């Protein structure tokens, strides 16, 4: 079975950039209609223009994912305008520069802010989407795909707030799989390694930096957003119908290399 989302409706948080935008585009190319949630209206507008320019359908739900009203309204708008909800992909996330310091130097404000967006935002998205993702026995499952990071499965040596938030996202995904599996919902967590998006802030903007990173990746390539989006789209689809509760590193093999 190939990745086929025809007739599906998928809500993507952080859909205004990077992995979220690529996921909105990949899900749309597979046949889904998409709700794009982001705090950046410009980002949403650009994603919607790309989706509709390619013949797809997308609607906007601007706002901050750490605000419960935003997430409740995004789901409500999806049901009102697109009629149903089959999939959720939670890409909205931040990495804050202050979080690069050793833990003792990280302010409580920074730590809480990162947790609010990355972890609370994921909780709120699942909370408001999951009642609509429930399916009767025998029907194709509703599917949740969360985006954590390899920081959730190995020690990165920086980013206390980021690491704690991403570990929480992976754990919350497993809990969701167990709680909602019997109600017809699958939930899986993707842990990307380094991906060339605005979040990575141009760290690979020199040939030397790219070469150094490629050496650490068994597949010898720095990921682009599409590499993650294609796995997310597969996990949304019925081709992944017996796959749930998993934490999947999409990192070119970096976490399993010696
Ligand atoms: P990105 O910065 O390109 O996109 C993130 C999007 O989230 C942006 O459009 C931003 O406006 C939106 N966003 C941020 N805070 C928000 C909020 N409070 N409410 C609503 N929207 C908000 O980054 P990306 O690389 O595409 O990251 C997507 C996800 O992938 C993040 O969760 C990130 O932690 C994770 N990730 C990224 C990398 C990487 O190397 N880029 C690696 C591992 C994991």
């Amino acid at each position: 079975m190939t990745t086929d989302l025809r007739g599906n409706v998928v809500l993507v948080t952080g859909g205004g950039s990077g992995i979220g935008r690529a996921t909105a585009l990949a899900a749309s190319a597979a046949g889904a209609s998409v709700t794009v949630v982001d705090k950046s209206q410009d980002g949403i507008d650009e994603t919607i223009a790309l989706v509709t320019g390619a013949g797809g359908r997308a609607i906007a739900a601007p706002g901050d994912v750490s605000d419960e009203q935003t997430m409740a309204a995004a789901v409500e708008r999806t049901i009102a305008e697109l009629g149903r909800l089959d999939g959720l992909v939670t890409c909205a996330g931040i990495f804050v520069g202050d979080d690069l310091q050793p833990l003792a130097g990280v302010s409580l404000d920074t730590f809480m802010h990162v947790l609010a967006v990355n972890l609370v935002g994921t909780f709120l998205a699942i909370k408001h989407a999951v009642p609509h993702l429930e399916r009767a026995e025998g029907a194709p499952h509703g599917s949740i795909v969360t985006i954590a990071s390899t920081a959730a499965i190995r020690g990165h040596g920086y980013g206390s707030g980021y690491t704690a938030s991403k570990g929480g996202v992976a754990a919350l995904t497993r809990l969701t799989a167990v709680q909602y599996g019997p109600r017809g919902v699958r939930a899986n967590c993707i842990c990307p390694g380094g991906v060339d998006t605005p979040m990575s802030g141009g760290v690979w903007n020199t040939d030397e930096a790219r070469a150094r990173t490629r050496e650490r990746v068994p597949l010898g390539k720095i990921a682009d957003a599409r590499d993650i989006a294609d796995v997310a789209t597969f996990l949304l689809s019925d081709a992944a119908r017996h796959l749930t509760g998993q934490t999947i590193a999409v990192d070119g093999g970096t976490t399993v290399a010696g």
Side-chain angles (χ1 to χ4, degrees), residues 16-230:
S17 176
I19 294 168
R21 173 174 292 160
T23 300
L25 284 164
S28 173
S33 299
V34 182
T35 300
V36 183
V37 180
D38 206 287
K39 66 174 188 191
S40 161
Q41 184 67 55
D42 288 350
I44 290 177
D45 291 346
E46 201 173 326
T47 299
I48 290 183
L50 289 166
V51 169
T52 53
R57 183 169 184 208
I59 64 169
D64 182 336
V65 291
S66 66
D67 171 58
E68 183 151 21
Q69 286 311 314
T70 294
M71 283 319 307
V75 171
E76 274 167 30
R77 185 175 298 181
T78 302
I79 301 301
E81 294 186 28
L82 301 175
R84 54 189 286 160
L85 185 62
D86 304 280
L88 167 71
V89 188
T90 60
C91 300
I94 53 169
F95 189 97
V96 180
D98 304 0
D99 203 23
L100 280 169
Q101 302 173 57
L103 185 150
V106 175
S107 72
L108 180 59
D109 279 354
T110 293
F111 190 82
M112 295 304 277
H113 179 49
V114 174
L115 281 187
V117 176
N118 295 2
L119 180 55
V120 177
T122 301
F123 162 73
L124 290 174
I126 296 173
K127 174 181 171 177
H128 288 280
V130 78
H132 300 280
L133 296 171
E134 292 184 18
R135 295 288 181 267
E137 198 177 333
H141 298 100
S143 177
I144 296 169
V145 181
T146 59
I147 306 293
S149 157
T150 50
I153 49 181
R154 71 186 300 194
H156 271 189
Y158 55 85
S160 356
Y162 190 77
T163 297
S165 72
K166 295 302 189 178
V169 167
L172 204 57
T173 309
R174 284 191 288 275
L175 170 138
T176 305
V178 172
Q179 283 186 341
Y180 287 91
R183 302 187 200 188
V185 181
R186 296 184 294 102
N188 291 287
C189 176
I190 293 177
C191 292
V195 188
D196 202 357
T197 68
M199 176 180 279
S200 29
V203 285
W204 298 297
N205 56 8
T206 66
D207 288 347
E208 280 162 310
R210 295 189 83 80
R212 264 199 314 276
T213 300
R214 278 200 296 264
E215 270 170 29
R216 292 199 298 271
V217 181
L219 288 182
K221 171 181 174 287
I222 298 166
D224 60 48
R226 182 68 196 256
D227 294 324
I228 314 303
D230 282 348

